[in-house]
């Protein structure tokens, strides 16, 4: 999609920001043109959860409208986007998909059905996990994401060859830098981009949120396409990236 084709498209430097449904808009991307996909798909677990009240502190909102879906709806969303991502991925492309710990098996099933080669689950260890305010259980200190590739000869840049770990430690974004409830650390996204793409490659984030992947693309000399269906978060990402480019 060229600049100016749609009012939903914003072009800045080497980035394109698209507002709308990623399943629909990814169809506008040229086949076999994307080297890396980083997807933070809705988790289908943040529904019917009452806020966590913490005395005088601001309550933690756990219910999100965009995450309210059944497991069959979640699987259909996964399969639809993974099929389109496979079409636009070049030979050797990599896709990382964040998901709820208990639903990784659905990502694996959908990815294989869409044609992707399953690699493994990765772990993000949160160095500042949210405290447990009620209930006898540990803090939720880890989050997982799945790695799949288009074929077995994927782009792979690591200093220690086969000794690279599938474990990353970064804090949850906080304070003024946090603009989305499921925002991922910039350092984590940059690590994935460095591992699985080359300078000038095209990186796709079909669930852009507040634009972290696009910011990482700017930092690492990658081209990027970010798609966000929520108008408020699209505007947040656009404004933040515009400030970042000043």
């Amino acid at each position: 999609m060229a600049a100016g084709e749609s009012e939903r498209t914003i072009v800045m430097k080497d980035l394109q920001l698209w507002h709308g449904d990623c399943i629909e808009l990814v169809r506008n991307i040229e086949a076999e043109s994307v080297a890396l996909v980083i997807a933070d798909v809705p988790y289908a677990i943040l529904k019917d959860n009452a806020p966590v009240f913490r005395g005088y502190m601001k309550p933690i909102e756990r219910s999100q409208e965009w995450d309210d879906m059944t497991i069959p709806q979640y699987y259909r969303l996964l399969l639809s986007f993974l099929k389109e991502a496979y079409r636009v991925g070049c030979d050797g492309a990599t896709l990382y998909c964040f998901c709820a710990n208990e639903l990784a098996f659905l990502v694996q099933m959908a990815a294989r059905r869409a044609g992707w080669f399953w690699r493994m689950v990765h772990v993000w260890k949160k160095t500042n996990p949210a405290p447990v305010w009620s209930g006898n259980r540990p803090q939720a200190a880890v989050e997982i994401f799945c790695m799949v590739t288009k074929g077995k000869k994927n782009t792979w840049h690591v200093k220690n060859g086969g000794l690279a770990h599938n474990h990353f430690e970064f804090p949850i974004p906080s304070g003024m830098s946090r603009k989305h409830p499921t925002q991922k650390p910039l350092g984590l996204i940059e690590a994935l981009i460095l591992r699985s793409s080359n300078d000038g490659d095209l990186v796709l984030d079909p669930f852009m949120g507040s634009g972290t992947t696009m910011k990482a693309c700017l930092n690492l000399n990658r081209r990027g396409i970010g798609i966000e269906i929520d108008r408020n978060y699209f505007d947040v990402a656009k404004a933040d990236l515009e400030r970042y480019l000043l």
Side-chain angles (χ1 to χ4, degrees), residues 153-168:
K153 295 183 179 180
N154 52 297
T155 300
W156 185 242
H157 301 299
V158 292
K159 294 181 180 180
N160 57 349
L163 300 179
H165 291 183
N166 64 340
H167 172 274
F168 301 82

PDB file of all heavy atoms in Angstrom, residues 153-168:
ATOM      1  N   LYS A 153      15.785 -22.769   7.258  1.00  0.00           N
ATOM      2  CA  LYS A 153      16.972 -21.939   7.097  1.00  0.00           C
ATOM      3  C   LYS A 153      16.619 -20.478   7.372  1.00  0.00           C
ATOM      4  O   LYS A 153      16.613 -19.630   6.483  1.00  0.00           O
ATOM      5  CB  LYS A 153      17.544 -22.113   5.693  1.00  0.00           C
ATOM      6  CG  LYS A 153      18.063 -23.523   5.430  1.00  0.00           C
ATOM      7  CD  LYS A 153      18.694 -23.641   4.049  1.00  0.00           C
ATOM      8  CE  LYS A 153      19.234 -25.038   3.816  1.00  0.00           C
ATOM      9  NZ  LYS A 153      19.865 -25.192   2.469  1.00  0.00           N
ATOM     10  N   ASN A 154      16.321 -20.194   8.623  1.00  0.00           N
ATOM     11  CA  ASN A 154      15.918 -18.844   9.010  1.00  0.00           C
ATOM     12  C   ASN A 154      17.116 -17.968   9.322  1.00  0.00           C
ATOM     13  O   ASN A 154      18.207 -18.456   9.669  1.00  0.00           O
ATOM     14  CB  ASN A 154      15.003 -18.907  10.233  1.00  0.00           C
ATOM     15  CG  ASN A 154      15.600 -19.719  11.365  1.00  0.00           C
ATOM     16  OD1 ASN A 154      15.827 -20.922  11.214  1.00  0.00           O
ATOM     17  ND2 ASN A 154      15.874 -19.070  12.499  1.00  0.00           N
ATOM     18  N   THR A 155      16.915 -16.661   9.227  1.00  0.00           N
ATOM     19  CA  THR A 155      17.945 -15.696   9.609  1.00  0.00           C
ATOM     20  C   THR A 155      18.232 -15.846  11.098  1.00  0.00           C
ATOM     21  O   THR A 155      17.308 -15.886  11.913  1.00  0.00           O
ATOM     22  CB  THR A 155      17.473 -14.263   9.314  1.00  0.00           C
ATOM     23  OG1 THR A 155      17.204 -14.147   7.918  1.00  0.00           O
ATOM     24  CG2 THR A 155      18.521 -13.238   9.722  1.00  0.00           C
ATOM     25  N   TRP A 156      19.506 -15.900  11.454  1.00  0.00           N
ATOM     26  CA  TRP A 156      19.868 -16.156  12.853  1.00  0.00           C
ATOM     27  C   TRP A 156      21.216 -15.517  13.153  1.00  0.00           C
ATOM     28  O   TRP A 156      22.246 -15.990  12.713  1.00  0.00           O
ATOM     29  CB  TRP A 156      19.916 -17.669  13.104  1.00  0.00           C
ATOM     30  CG  TRP A 156      20.153 -18.091  14.518  1.00  0.00           C
ATOM     31  CD1 TRP A 156      21.207 -18.806  15.003  1.00  0.00           C
ATOM     32  CD2 TRP A 156      19.303 -17.831  15.646  1.00  0.00           C
ATOM     33  NE1 TRP A 156      21.070 -19.013  16.355  1.00  0.00           N
ATOM     34  CE2 TRP A 156      19.911 -18.439  16.770  1.00  0.00           C
ATOM     35  CE3 TRP A 156      18.095 -17.154  15.800  1.00  0.00           C
ATOM     36  CZ2 TRP A 156      19.339 -18.375  18.047  1.00  0.00           C
ATOM     37  CZ3 TRP A 156      17.535 -17.094  17.069  1.00  0.00           C
ATOM     38  CH2 TRP A 156      18.144 -17.696  18.164  1.00  0.00           C
ATOM     39  N   HIS A 157      21.194 -14.416  13.905  1.00  0.00           N
ATOM     40  CA  HIS A 157      22.411 -13.688  14.260  1.00  0.00           C
ATOM     41  C   HIS A 157      22.608 -13.732  15.769  1.00  0.00           C
ATOM     42  O   HIS A 157      21.931 -13.009  16.505  1.00  0.00           O
ATOM     43  CB  HIS A 157      22.317 -12.224  13.813  1.00  0.00           C
ATOM     44  CG  HIS A 157      22.106 -12.052  12.334  1.00  0.00           C
ATOM     45  ND1 HIS A 157      22.997 -12.504  11.399  1.00  0.00           N
ATOM     46  CD2 HIS A 157      21.088 -11.481  11.638  1.00  0.00           C
ATOM     47  CE1 HIS A 157      22.554 -12.215  10.188  1.00  0.00           C
ATOM     48  NE2 HIS A 157      21.395 -11.606  10.307  1.00  0.00           N
ATOM     49  N   VAL A 158      23.507 -14.557  16.229  1.00  0.00           N
ATOM     50  CA  VAL A 158      23.852 -14.607  17.647  1.00  0.00           C
ATOM     51  C   VAL A 158      25.365 -14.754  17.774  1.00  0.00           C
ATOM     52  O   VAL A 158      26.021 -15.337  16.907  1.00  0.00           O
ATOM     53  CB  VAL A 158      23.141 -15.765  18.378  1.00  0.00           C
ATOM     54  CG1 VAL A 158      21.649 -15.538  18.466  1.00  0.00           C
ATOM     55  CG2 VAL A 158      23.434 -17.092  17.705  1.00  0.00           C
ATOM     56  N   LYS A 159      25.916 -14.235  18.855  1.00  0.00           N
ATOM     57  CA  LYS A 159      27.367 -14.235  19.040  1.00  0.00           C
ATOM     58  C   LYS A 159      27.914 -15.606  19.426  1.00  0.00           C
ATOM     59  O   LYS A 159      29.059 -15.913  19.149  1.00  0.00           O
ATOM     60  CB  LYS A 159      27.755 -13.200  20.097  1.00  0.00           C
ATOM     61  CG  LYS A 159      27.492 -11.757  19.683  1.00  0.00           C
ATOM     62  CD  LYS A 159      27.918 -10.781  20.774  1.00  0.00           C
ATOM     63  CE  LYS A 159      27.652  -9.341  20.351  1.00  0.00           C
ATOM     64  NZ  LYS A 159      28.049  -8.371  21.404  1.00  0.00           N
ATOM     65  N   ASN A 160      27.099 -16.400  20.083  1.00  0.00           N
ATOM     66  CA  ASN A 160      27.599 -17.676  20.588  1.00  0.00           C
ATOM     67  C   ASN A 160      26.923 -18.874  19.940  1.00  0.00           C
ATOM     68  O   ASN A 160      26.729 -19.913  20.562  1.00  0.00           O
ATOM     69  CB  ASN A 160      27.450 -17.748  22.109  1.00  0.00           C
ATOM     70  CG  ASN A 160      26.008 -17.538  22.555  1.00  0.00           C
ATOM     71  OD1 ASN A 160      25.172 -17.149  21.763  1.00  0.00           O
ATOM     72  ND2 ASN A 160      25.731 -17.796  23.824  1.00  0.00           N
ATOM     73  N   GLY A 161      26.538 -18.708  18.672  1.00  0.00           N
ATOM     74  CA  GLY A 161      26.010 -19.831  17.909  1.00  0.00           C
ATOM     75  C   GLY A 161      24.852 -20.533  18.569  1.00  0.00           C
ATOM     76  O   GLY A 161      23.863 -19.924  18.973  1.00  0.00           O
ATOM     77  N   GLY A 162      24.971 -21.845  18.708  1.00  0.00           N
ATOM     78  CA  GLY A 162      23.905 -22.649  19.266  1.00  0.00           C
ATOM     79  C   GLY A 162      23.758 -22.547  20.755  1.00  0.00           C
ATOM     80  O   GLY A 162      22.943 -23.265  21.342  1.00  0.00           O
ATOM     81  N   LEU A 163      24.531 -21.673  21.418  1.00  0.00           N
ATOM     82  CA  LEU A 163      24.421 -21.512  22.862  1.00  0.00           C
ATOM     83  C   LEU A 163      23.503 -20.361  23.259  1.00  0.00           C
ATOM     84  O   LEU A 163      23.394 -20.026  24.429  1.00  0.00           O
ATOM     85  CB  LEU A 163      25.815 -21.285  23.482  1.00  0.00           C
ATOM     86  CG  LEU A 163      26.836 -22.421  23.273  1.00  0.00           C
ATOM     87  CD1 LEU A 163      28.175 -22.056  23.912  1.00  0.00           C
ATOM     88  CD2 LEU A 163      26.306 -23.725  23.855  1.00  0.00           C
ATOM     89  N   ALA A 164      22.845 -19.764  22.286  1.00  0.00           N
ATOM     90  CA  ALA A 164      21.912 -18.684  22.604  1.00  0.00           C
ATOM     91  C   ALA A 164      20.728 -19.226  23.392  1.00  0.00           C
ATOM     92  O   ALA A 164      20.193 -20.285  23.082  1.00  0.00           O
ATOM     93  CB  ALA A 164      21.420 -18.022  21.316  1.00  0.00           C
ATOM     94  N   HIS A 165      20.323 -18.502  24.416  1.00  0.00           N
ATOM     95  CA  HIS A 165      19.231 -18.944  25.273  1.00  0.00           C
ATOM     96  C   HIS A 165      17.878 -18.492  24.730  1.00  0.00           C
ATOM     97  O   HIS A 165      17.781 -17.508  23.984  1.00  0.00           O
ATOM     98  CB  HIS A 165      19.412 -18.386  26.689  1.00  0.00           C
ATOM     99  CG  HIS A 165      20.570 -18.974  27.419  1.00  0.00           C
ATOM    100  ND1 HIS A 165      20.884 -18.657  28.724  1.00  0.00           N
ATOM    101  CD2 HIS A 165      21.519 -19.875  27.029  1.00  0.00           C
ATOM    102  CE1 HIS A 165      21.957 -19.330  29.108  1.00  0.00           C
ATOM    103  NE2 HIS A 165      22.366 -20.066  28.098  1.00  0.00           N
ATOM    104  N   ASN A 166      16.835 -19.174  25.159  1.00  0.00           N
ATOM    105  CA  ASN A 166      15.461 -18.759  24.846  1.00  0.00           C
ATOM    106  C   ASN A 166      14.832 -18.077  26.065  1.00  0.00           C
ATOM    107  O   ASN A 166      13.623 -18.126  26.272  1.00  0.00           O
ATOM    108  CB  ASN A 166      14.606 -19.957  24.419  1.00  0.00           C
ATOM    109  CG  ASN A 166      14.435 -20.982  25.525  1.00  0.00           C
ATOM    110  OD1 ASN A 166      15.212 -21.020  26.481  1.00  0.00           O
ATOM    111  ND2 ASN A 166      13.422 -21.823  25.411  1.00  0.00           N
ATOM    112  N   HIS A 167      15.664 -17.412  26.849  1.00  0.00           N
ATOM    113  CA  HIS A 167      15.263 -16.792  28.112  1.00  0.00           C
ATOM    114  C   HIS A 167      15.775 -15.354  28.125  1.00  0.00           C
ATOM    115  O   HIS A 167      16.952 -15.102  27.883  1.00  0.00           O
ATOM    116  CB  HIS A 167      15.857 -17.594  29.273  1.00  0.00           C
ATOM    117  CG  HIS A 167      15.693 -16.970  30.619  1.00  0.00           C
ATOM    118  ND1 HIS A 167      16.581 -16.045  31.125  1.00  0.00           N
ATOM    119  CD2 HIS A 167      14.738 -17.138  31.570  1.00  0.00           C
ATOM    120  CE1 HIS A 167      16.192 -15.681  32.331  1.00  0.00           C
ATOM    121  NE2 HIS A 167      15.077 -16.314  32.614  1.00  0.00           N
ATOM    122  N   PHE A 168      14.878 -14.410  28.380  1.00  0.00           N
ATOM    123  CA  PHE A 168      15.223 -12.988  28.381  1.00  0.00           C
ATOM    124  C   PHE A 168      14.747 -12.355  29.682  1.00  0.00           C
ATOM    125  O   PHE A 168      13.649 -12.665  30.146  1.00  0.00           O
ATOM    126  CB  PHE A 168      14.557 -12.263  27.204  1.00  0.00           C
ATOM    127  CG  PHE A 168      14.922 -12.802  25.850  1.00  0.00           C
ATOM    128  CD1 PHE A 168      14.274 -13.920  25.330  1.00  0.00           C
ATOM    129  CD2 PHE A 168      15.904 -12.197  25.088  1.00  0.00           C
ATOM    130  CE1 PHE A 168      14.595 -14.422  24.085  1.00  0.00           C
ATOM    131  CE2 PHE A 168      16.234 -12.688  23.831  1.00  0.00           C
ATOM    132  CZ  PHE A 168      15.586 -13.810  23.326  1.00  0.00           C
TER     133      PHE A 168
END
